[in-house]
Amino acid sequence: MNTVYKILFEMRLLHEFYLTDKEGKTIFDFPAQADRLNFLKQRFDTDAENIEDEIAFELPEKTKVLFDNYHLKLVPTYAGFKVAVNVIPKKLPGGTVVYEPKYTLPDDLCLSILAVKKSQRLDSFTNAKMEKILPAMYYFSNENTVTGPRIFPFLSADITAFDAGATYEQGELVKFAANDYREFYKDDADAVQWISLSGKAFANENDRMLLPLNFYYAFPKNTAVTKADFLLKDKDGNTVDKYQFKGIQPLRKVQLAIDPKKVLQIPGPAVTDQMVYSLKVTGNGGYNKTHKLIFYQNEQEIRDSLALIVMKVKTSVPAYNLIDNLGRLITRKLPDQTVNPLPPVFELNFKSKPSFWRYINNRRKNLKVGLHPDFLLSKNGLLVTKKPRSLTYSATLFRKPDNSLYYLPNPEPYQTLTFENNKLYSDILVQESTLFPLAP
């Protein structure tokens, strides 16, 4: 008898840096998944650069055992991966062919896949908080009991709602209302501004909760804490452990070593909310923060990882299930030989860093004032975009008020950003030309 494998599910990691066309349209501009996948296919057909240059998807050692036991295979794809399973095809009385896993997949079985960075280059263009308190990695899942509700078919947690008392960084994502997500920046006059975003779900700080058992806690630069208490609690509020640090000078970074005998860790065949812990940190001067954490057993496995993706066979939200109520795959072949529905496709959206583009004469001479006024401001002999633009691999055009497109030089894809006065800049050297004449 032939061995048959069928796709259990697919996962696509969609990054704005690679998935923006020359007119500035991104994959997030398409509300329907079918249109997003078609946009992705067009990029594939043109052999466009994609996230696989930066990310490899790998199985943790413990997950390799599960894949062997249940006859599963991890299959790399363009901008993501698929998981295939050994199945037994069965024809129903009406002629529809369904697929049952040869080895029954338990409802609570969790499949963990690591997204491993091939280099640190990914961090240079991926939007994230610049000041990080914890070196946490992303935890994504189709089950919402760990990081809270999500929007199908996305695996990221919802973004935190706007807080008028919070201090935001350039590019930080905020939720103002349902389907109303915005990106923060301050303009040339340091007035608060927001850029409305296309798309419903993006990887964000609420997903950053995965830590090794040994890690450093970094106090924000604007604090002067000299005495700090750390209280680790389990899901039910029971104290697991306590830590205390004191110093004559303000504490900048302290190391915590979690006792592996006191906490549950992943990966494993099942992941539950019992694996979620809270770390409450208090200090003199009114310092008070609480962080939600999950601990990973093998520090070596996640040292260079962007994220852990955990897929549960049956979830609390049926749309995210990997199998149906009869234990069969979601996909099936109809009597007319069409496949409907297709295997479920889940998505992870990543925003690019937004930077102000700053045009500088290559001989450090002053550029003419008032050039390209729809987009640029003159400042100390330089020209700076009025608002930040997302970094992209391919060059993009500006769009004028009349909706026509307009060319100005773009930053190099992987160039280093400049951080000045709480703003990020992409510096672009330009020669004297009709596009960039010098000041008289």
Side-chain angles (χ1 to χ4, degrees), residues 330-357:
I330 301 298
T331 189
R332 56 204 59 211
K333 185 186 291 185
L334 302 181
D336 63 2
Q337 301 304 298
T338 59
V339 177
N340 189 23
L342 294 168
V345 180
F346 304 103
E347 300 175 45
L348 286 171
N349 292 342
F350 278 81
K351 285 283 296 174
S352 294
K353 287 185 188 296
S355 68
F356 288 95
W357 295 8

Side-chain angles (χ1 to χ4, degrees), residues 11 14 69-70 133 142 154 179-180 194 197 208 215 234 276 289 339 347 415:
M11 200 292 299
L14 308 176
N69 291 344
Y70 293 102
I133 294 176
N142 61 334
F154 306 102
N179 300 324
D180 182 5
W194 297 94
L197 303 179
R208 284 189 183 272
F215 60 91
D234 65 17
V276 181
K289 291 185 181 296
V339 177
E347 300 175 45
Q415 77 176 56

Side-chain angles (χ1 to χ4, degrees), residues 30 36 61 80 112 146 195 228 244 290 302 362 366 402:
F30 299 94
R36 292 193 295 274
E61 288 301 318
S112 298
V146 173
I195 299 174
Q244 188 177 82
T290 300
I302 61 168
N362 65 333
N366 290 342
D402 64 4

Side-chain angles (χ1 to χ4, degrees), residues 34-140:
D35 293 331
R36 292 193 295 274
L37 296 181
N38 184 57
F39 183 94
L40 196 63
K41 183 179 184 302
Q42 292 173 7
R43 306 289 288 188
F44 172 77
D45 289 343
T46 59
D47 198 27
E49 298 287 330
N50 80 97
I51 196 65
E52 70 183 19
D53 293 333
E54 305 296 335
I55 290 288
F57 296 100
E58 300 177 1
L59 298 179
E61 288 301 318
K62 285 192 172 182
T63 304
K64 289 179 182 178
V65 176
L66 294 178
F67 268 56
D68 288 341
N69 291 344
Y70 293 102
H71 289 226
L72 298 158
K73 292 184 181 296
L74 180 67
V75 183
T77 64
Y78 187 82
F81 63 85
K82 300 178 182 181
V83 171
V85 60
N86 190 359
V87 297
I88 301 172
K90 291 189 176 181
K91 183 174 286 190
L92 302 180
T96 296
V97 177
V98 296
Y99 306 100
E100 294 182 358
K102 187 174 181 179
Y103 300 90
T104 302
L105 303 178
D107 287 355
D108 63 350
L109 178 66
C110 290
L111 307 175
S112 298
I113 297 96
L114 286 166
V116 180
K117 292 184 284 189
K118 295 181 178 179
S119 74
Q120 297 306 309
R121 193 169 65 176
L122 181 69
D123 298 332
S124 70
F125 59 80
T126 300
N127 192 8
K129 278 189 72 69
M130 290 176 277
E131 187 175 42
K132 294 182 176 67
I133 294 176
L134 287 166
M137 283 140 285
Y138 291 106
Y139 174 90
F140 300 118

